[in-house]
Amino acid sequence: MTDDDIDRLVSKLDLEQKARLVTGASVWRTGAEPDIGLRAMVFSDGPAGVRGEGWDERDTSLTLPCPTALAATWDEHLVGLLGGLLAGEARRKGVHVLLAPTLNLHRSPLAGRHFECYSEDPVLAGRIGAALIGGIQAGGVAATAKHYVANDSETERLTLDARIDERTLRELYLAPFETAVAAGVWVVMSAYNAVNSITMSENPLLANPLKDEWGFDGVVVSDWGAVRSTAPAGRAAQDLAMPGPEGPWGPALAAAVRDGQVPEAAIDDKVRRLLLLAARVGALGLPADDPWPPDLPTGPASGAPEGERAARTLLRRAVAASAVLLRNEGGLLPLDPDRPRRVAVLGPNAVTPRIQGGGSAGVYPRRTVSLLDGIREALPATVEVVHCPGVSHGARPTPLGTANARDPRTGEPGLLVRLLDAAGREIHAEHRLTGHIPEPARTVPARAAVVEIRALLRPDVTGPWELGVAGWGRVTLEADGRVLIDEEVERDTDDPATVHLSPPYRTARLPLEAGQDVELVSRRRLDPGSGVASALAAGPPRPEETAGLRAAADLARSADLAVVVVGTGQDAESEGADRTDLNLPGPQDELVRTVAAANPATIVIVNAGGPVALPWREEVPAVLLSWFPGQEAGHGLADVLFGRAEPGGRLPVTFAGRSLVSTVPVDGTLTYAEGLDIGYRAWLRRAEPPAYWFGHGLGYTSWAYEELSVPAEAAPGLPVTVRVRVRNIGERPGREVVQVYLARPETSLARPPRWLAGHAMAEARRGESVEVDVRLPARAFQHWDAGQGAWRTEPGGFTVLAGRSSADLPLSAAVFG
């Protein structure tokens, strides 16, 4: 569709129609205009899987490793294939626009949404994000680069004012978005926060550099509820206000145009962009009897795997490719599957892995393969695999599910969810599969006054169980008619992720007998503005800490090998809240030390979406980082443990036991006083090293870095391609991520000690030498000159460094000198 075609369509619309189109028609849909062939477009969250329009556990999704894990692959081809998988899922669910990738940086490891972002480095974040965008959009689905810009922490995220100097903004926080625009992204999402005192839905940064300098021709959609004004946001380069239809735009925006507060030309531009997006995703100009999604190809050419089995194979491959082997003393890994006779698999995350972070990015996985199951499938039947959790790290009970609850009305595994009117009469009922219910029905009737969840819980152990209900307003919990909780829970936040997804729990303890059913009934009142989310949860008696540790040690001592899985719990690493420290919750550190003392052949797997403190890391021979690995967790990690796949990951973020910057605003302002020095750049200035450097990761072979070549004709202002020769000096074939950094020995500017400029993959057989070319773009040598408002290259020489991490760079050469 040409620009002239779109202009003709815009001319057919009156002001009211145009104002209606730039406001959402519902929570997840844009408006339709049949007279011009425009259909509604469906949006969905989707960084780790495509949820679709609603929160319904019966509508499952293929679940990818979390975005930080994808960045840990450093593999743009693989990430592009995963983008194709997401596109296929989106088409299957009727989704036109996927709200991914998240391109905010890991400014602080305390950031609660760390797992949903890629890296602390803008180059790596931009390249991985661009690869995902390419894979998604090749499948006819729009990708969304979010959250533009400086939405790098969760504390006061709706209102904080990020104060950032212009050079830092350009070189760090805007850089991944510039890469996304260069990759052709179709949608950009404006953030909740302000930057330099102007909220992002009104901020001039939407016009310049995004649209003017970079040439972004797509739609700027707001984060949900981030448009808070009529005329200021209407005059800005904000194009679409979501959700709708209520909000500050719509009829109010049309009135502002008539009053002369907003030029109609500004509305026309927004509508043009919306129509272009609709044309790109197949929602404009198709015959009425040709429903979306269109018949797009699948398979290698499109990047989409063919069928469920191929999708699972790809996801399993991604788990191994993202796993980072932090430590492997004595070459304990890979394991020989034919050697152990008894393996102890320990820790609370071994049976219930955390495969994704919390918040709006969450999906209901198609399935979840635990490490315990993955190890059992990988080993011969003659090997005994034993398990105990050792400790508990959950701060609250777990929502009921099909494994421990039945619907009291039908007897089916699961729960009964009912909507009641003010008189207690049933107006809707559904059989559900989980006790965590963000949406008790696709549409909640206006007369609904109470959400009720009923279930028959069959305890598997005797003792004091912890029972819980979650919701806002009046919440109650009964067990066999006995009232355990009756409380008013006042809403204390406006954060939509908390209001609509994670209302607070109230808990009570009740002695229960194993095998004896108890009927649990939770209710929450539906107050205006409090959402409809509710939960019914139960947790078994917690093991006494000393006894649990003793049981784990006994199992470890009796085994040839011990694998301990530790990680963050359901209350950490979630949208809406930052962490206060990097410690593993509960006594997990003590569990590791106890098991390691009982069995020297101990492997620790860290199941976390971002950095955590690892105070015992020098006390165990092997440490493997799994991130939040998605649905094929157990299979992919078993492949790594037993050498069927290499641990392909390299750290996209520095691992240290503490953060060097704060995520807590002061009087509403969060000052990025550290400037360009975040992550490894900051740690390079400190006397003490972090636990593990950005870029670190071990494979199952060893590499010698032999030569770095820089072209003699290299000239400032142009890209430079350097050549690195490496040799596989280990005992098996392998893959190496060759990383190239730049440094400026003599400079008149404030610069980081070094910064990532490019990377490439090297694959070689045992003893083989290979050369890889690494392209360093001209921008890698440039800095932003705020006074001139332009990119400049400082005259003089730069040092090129090549190696395996930001701190292990054995090769160097001069360029431009």
Side-chain angles (χ1 to χ4, degrees):
M1 182 167 287
T2 68
D3 291 344
D4 289 343
D5 293 332
I6 289 177
D7 286 341
R8 280 193 293 272
L9 294 178
V10 173
S11 69
K12 294 180 180 181
L13 302 172
D14 62 29
L15 180 57
E16 280 70 22
Q17 289 174 306
K18 290 185 285 190
R20 185 169 63 247
L21 286 179
V22 298
T23 299
S26 67
V27 175
W28 298 110
R29 288 179 177 245
T30 60
E33 197 57 65
D35 289 346
I36 62 169
L38 175 65
R39 295 186 235 183
M41 289 182 283
V42 177
F43 288 67
S44 170
D45 286 307
V50 184
R51 190 178 60 250
E53 289 187 79
W55 287 85
D56 190 329
E57 72 283 357
R58 296 163 294 187
D59 182 12
T60 60
S61 307
L62 293 171
T63 308
L64 281 64
C66 71
T68 304
L70 299 191
T73 69
W74 294 60
D75 188 337
E76 291 152 84
H77 176 70
L78 175 59
V79 172
L81 293 177
L82 292 166
L85 186 151
L86 289 174
E89 282 280 276
R91 297 199 306 271
R92 180 178 68 83
K93 294 194 173 195
V95 169
H96 302 83
V97 181
L98 198 59
L99 301 178
T102 302
L103 296 179
N104 302 114
L105 295 184
H106 294 181
R107 174 178 175 262
S108 167
L110 295 172
R113 215 168 175 177
H114 199 291
F115 62 89
E116 197 179 321
C117 309
Y118 290 118
S119 176
E120 68 190 28
D121 185 89
V123 171
L124 182 60
R127 287 180 59 168
I128 297 297
L132 192 80
I133 289 165
I136 293 170
Q137 294 187 171
V141 176
T144 304
K146 65 181 189 180
H147 309 82
Y148 186 88
V149 62
N151 189 177
D152 307 301
S153 55
E154 297 298 290
T155 305
E156 300 180 27
R157 67 179 181 140
L158 303 185
T159 57
L160 74 81
D161 179 14
R163 300 284 179 86
I164 314 174
D165 70 82
E166 188 176 346
R167 184 180 171 206
T168 298
L169 189 60
R170 284 282 192 156
E171 294 187 22
L172 287 186
Y173 300 100
L174 286 171
F177 292 93
E178 184 177 6
T179 303
V181 172
V185 71
W186 293 342
V187 180
V188 169
M189 179 187 287
S190 60
Y192 287 120
N193 56 281
V195 171
N196 295 330
S197 302
I198 305 174
T199 192
M200 278 311 304
S201 60
E202 304 168 12
N203 203 293
L205 291 170
L206 297 177
N208 193 51
L210 179 60
K211 292 183 175 180
D212 298 341
E213 180 184 325
W214 299 345
F216 174 62
D217 65 356
V219 169
V220 175
V221 64
S222 71
D223 206 337
W224 267 228
V227 171
R228 303 178 178 108
S229 67
T230 301
R235 290 191 296 268
Q238 177 72 51
D239 299 316
L240 176 61
M242 291 294 287
E246 293 79 16
W249 280 10
L253 186 58
V257 173
R258 289 197 179 89
D259 292 344
Q261 300 179 64
V262 178
E264 188 165 359
I267 311 303
D268 289 347
D269 183 67
K270 302 177 196 305
V271 174
R272 284 190 193 94
R273 291 170 177 273
L274 196 68
L275 295 180
L276 176 59
L277 175 63
R280 284 168 163 167
V281 300
L284 179 65
L286 292 176
D289 59 352
D290 187 9
W292 200 92
D295 185 16
L296 291 170
T298 59
S302 67
E306 299 180 51
E308 183 83 5
R309 179 175 295 181
R312 289 179 176 178
T313 299
L314 178 61
L315 293 175
R316 180 172 180 164
R317 173 185 164 194
V319 175
S322 63
V324 181
L325 185 57
L326 297 174
R327 178 175 169 86
N328 192 23
E329 291 302 300
L332 177 60
L333 293 175
L335 302 167
D336 182 348
D338 296 321
R339 294 193 63 180
R341 294 166 296 175
R342 181 176 168 92
V343 177
V345 183
L346 310 166
N349 291 44
V351 171
T352 310
R354 193 164 185 207
I355 68 168
Q356 60 184 323
S360 63
V363 298
Y364 296 102
R366 192 71 50 85
R367 67 175 188 170
T368 299
V369 182
S370 72
L371 180 67
L372 182 62
D373 288 341
I375 287 177
R376 281 177 170 157
E377 289 188 35
L379 289 172
T382 54
V383 179
E384 184 182 11
V385 180
V386 294
H387 165 73
C388 82
V391 300
S392 172
H393 61 59
R396 54 179 169 82
T398 302
L400 295 179
T402 55
N404 61 359
R406 290 181 294 119
D407 185 328
R409 184 172 284 179
T410 66
E412 295 177 86
L415 307 91
L416 173 64
V417 177
R418 302 199 303 158
L419 293 173
L420 310 177
D421 66 15
R425 293 184 294 262
E426 180 181 301
I427 56 178
H428 178 80
E430 288 187 4
H431 175 75
R432 301 296 291 265
L433 308 179
T434 174
H436 178 234
I437 307 292
E439 294 179 353
R442 175 58 66 93
T443 302
V444 176
R447 68 183 189 280
V450 172
V451 177
E452 179 190 88
I453 309 175
R454 287 179 175 264
L456 293 173
L457 167 67
R458 176 162 292 180
D460 56 354
V461 295
T462 297
W465 280 65
E466 186 176 24
L467 309 176
V469 58
W472 304 101
R474 186 186 178 205
V475 298
T476 64
L477 177 62
E478 299 176 7
D480 285 341
R482 175 185 171 188
V483 177
L484 303 178
I485 298 169
D486 187 347
E487 188 173 340
E488 285 283 340
V489 180
E490 183 179 352
R491 198 191 73 173
D492 58 2
T493 179
D494 291 325
D495 194 310
T498 304
V499 171
H500 298 291
L501 300 177
S502 303
Y505 274 79
R506 296 295 184 266
T507 61
R509 290 191 180 275
L510 183 69
L512 298 177
E513 293 290 330
Q516 185 173 325
D517 287 352
V518 57
E519 183 172 16
L520 302 179
V521 181
S522 72
R523 297 186 184 94
R524 65 147 293 187
R525 187 179 65 225
L526 296 178
D527 294 337
S530 67
V532 297
S534 185
L536 175 59
R542 300 191 181 206
E544 192 274 324
E545 184 175 315
T546 302
L549 291 171
R550 188 183 306 117
D554 288 344
L555 276 187
R557 197 174 291 112
S558 73
D560 303 302
L561 173 75
V563 181
V564 187
V565 188
V566 295
T568 53
Q570 56 191 341
D571 294 327
E573 297 194 89
S574 179
E575 181 180 358
D578 292 322
R579 292 189 281 175
T580 56
D581 59 52
L582 298 178
N583 298 326
L584 289 170
Q588 294 184 89
D589 289 334
E590 190 172 351
L591 173 66
V592 172
R593 288 184 164 124
T594 299
V595 171
N599 189 330
T602 292
I603 300 161
V604 181
I605 295 179
V606 182
N607 179 201
V612 290
L614 307 173
W616 34 259
R617 63 186 181 277
E618 303 292 337
E619 303 170 31
V620 295
V623 182
L624 181 68
L625 175 59
S626 76
W627 310 103
F628 295 151
Q631 68 176 55
E632 301 300 315
H635 285 153
L637 291 171
D639 288 343
V640 170
L641 291 178
F642 296 105
R644 297 188 182 97
E646 245 198 321
R650 304 295 184 265
L651 287 179
V653 59
T654 303
F655 259 59
R658 60 192 177 92
S659 175
L660 298 180
V661 296
S662 174
T663 62
V664 180
V666 177
D667 296 328
T669 298
L670 187 60
T671 302
Y672 287 42
E674 70 283 354
L676 299 173
D677 289 335
I678 64 170
Y680 69 93
R681 302 166 177 226
W683 282 100
L684 286 167
R685 296 194 185 280
R686 306 188 75 85
E688 78 278 20
Y692 297 105
W693 287 97
F694 172 88
H696 171 73
L698 306 174
Y700 286 157
T701 189
S702 301
W703 296 86
Y705 278 71
E706 296 184 333
E707 186 177 17
L708 169 64
S709 304
V710 176
E713 68 275 10
L718 297 174
V720 176
T721 297
V722 302
R723 180 162 293 175
V724 183
R725 188 175 75 236
V726 295
R727 184 179 299 276
N728 182 346
I729 58 174
E731 297 301 315
R732 55 182 283 165
R735 166 185 174 272
E736 175 75 332
V737 180
V738 177
Q739 301 166 41
V740 175
Y741 296 77
L742 292 177
R744 175 77 174 182
E746 297 181 7
T747 179
S748 60
L749 301 168
R751 290 183 182 272
R754 68 186 71 111
W755 58 96
L756 180 69
H759 73 274
M761 306 297 175
E763 295 185 5
R765 297 185 294 272
R766 172 185 172 185
E768 184 181 18
S769 175
V770 296
E771 293 183 335
V772 294
D773 289 338
V774 183
R775 183 180 183 274
L776 311 182
R779 179 63 58 81
F781 299 91
Q782 295 175 334
H783 65 275
W784 180 256
D785 185 332
Q788 297 296 317
W791 292 97
R792 305 291 186 198
T793 303
E794 189 179 17
F798 289 76
T799 300
V800 181
L801 304 111
R804 55 182 60 87
S805 80
S806 57
D808 186 0
L809 299 164
L811 301 180
S812 65
V815 65
F816 307 155

